[in-house]
Amino acid sequence: MSKYITAEEHVPDDGEGETVLQIRDAETKEIFHTRARIAKEPSRLDDPQPLSVVRGPHENTAEQWYVELVDDAVDEDRLRRIVREQQEGSNVINTRSDDLAVLLRYLVETDHYESTSAAARELMFERLADAHPSLLEAYDELRTEYESDPLREALERE
């Protein structure tokens, strides 16, 4: 059973319920953001895991809560493979949707966005941030490895 830690400042004001939470895995010390449900009583969750909520100037006071992770775990090897493959492929996403095309064009023509591409990017990133924060966090850490680096590119060609 995993054990997690979070600071009281990360717990939402309304206390229990579903939220995006910054937590630390007590064993691996990894800090990450995830969509989760939290409660003071384990019976209020389907799959409760211990969550220590720390507070105080030195975070030396802990209260026992419970957390249920909602976000899917990120398969970093798969994500890394997709990033490598994407570097060699097209960056065009085609939804083949008249409905989306109409709605995005409307937003552009009413000056909400500069282009349909900008609208699609912003709206998708907002939705991804809400629904899959741990995926965005993992990708953000990974993409720095793949930003343009002439030395790495030269070594990979050999």
Side-chain angles (χ1 to χ4, degrees):
M1 176 177 283
S2 297
K3 294 181 181 179
Y4 300 101
I5 302 166
T6 193
E8 183 179 46
E9 66 192 51
H10 299 299
V11 174
D13 293 336
D14 58 356
E16 299 182 357
E18 190 168 313
T19 186
V20 174
L21 187 65
Q22 177 181 313
I23 60 177
R24 178 169 51 101
D25 185 300
E27 184 179 323
T28 66
K29 307 299 184 213
E30 175 188 8
I31 297 173
F32 58 97
H33 290 84
T34 187
R35 215 170 76 229
R37 284 188 276 282
I38 59 173
K40 289 187 177 184
E41 299 298 324
S43 61
R44 300 196 59 181
L45 302 172
D46 294 331
D47 184 24
Q49 306 291 319
L51 174 69
S52 293
V53 178
V54 296
R55 67 176 180 274
H58 303 288
E59 295 186 339
N60 55 357
T61 304
E63 185 176 359
Q64 185 62 53
W65 284 49
Y66 297 89
V67 64
E68 178 177 59
L69 304 183
V70 178
D71 225 0
D72 295 329
V74 175
D75 180 343
E76 291 190 21
D77 291 334
R78 180 180 302 222
L79 183 59
R80 187 179 310 280
R81 177 187 52 80
I82 293 170
V83 168
R84 278 193 313 270
E85 290 172 359
Q86 181 58 42
Q87 289 181 319
E88 299 167 3
S90 169
N91 68 353
V92 174
I93 298 174
N94 188 340
T95 61
R96 298 186 189 270
S97 170
D98 288 338
D99 297 329
L100 285 176
V102 167
L103 295 170
L104 292 174
R105 283 186 56 195
Y106 178 86
L107 291 172
V108 170
E109 290 185 17
T110 57
D111 295 326
H112 286 85
Y113 297 94
E114 291 182 18
S115 67
T116 56
S117 296
R121 279 191 304 273
E122 185 173 329
L123 293 169
M124 282 192 275
F125 276 128
E126 285 176 6
R127 177 68 175 113
L128 285 167
D130 289 341
H132 305 283
S134 60
L135 173 59
L136 289 184
E137 187 172 286
Y139 175 67
D140 184 47
E141 290 176 16
L142 180 63
R143 77 178 177 160
T144 58
E145 294 177 28
Y146 288 93
E147 289 178 348
S148 182
D149 180 352
L151 174 59
R152 182 176 49 245
E153 290 169 6
L155 292 172
E156 288 175 353
R157 280 182 258 170
E158 293 183 14

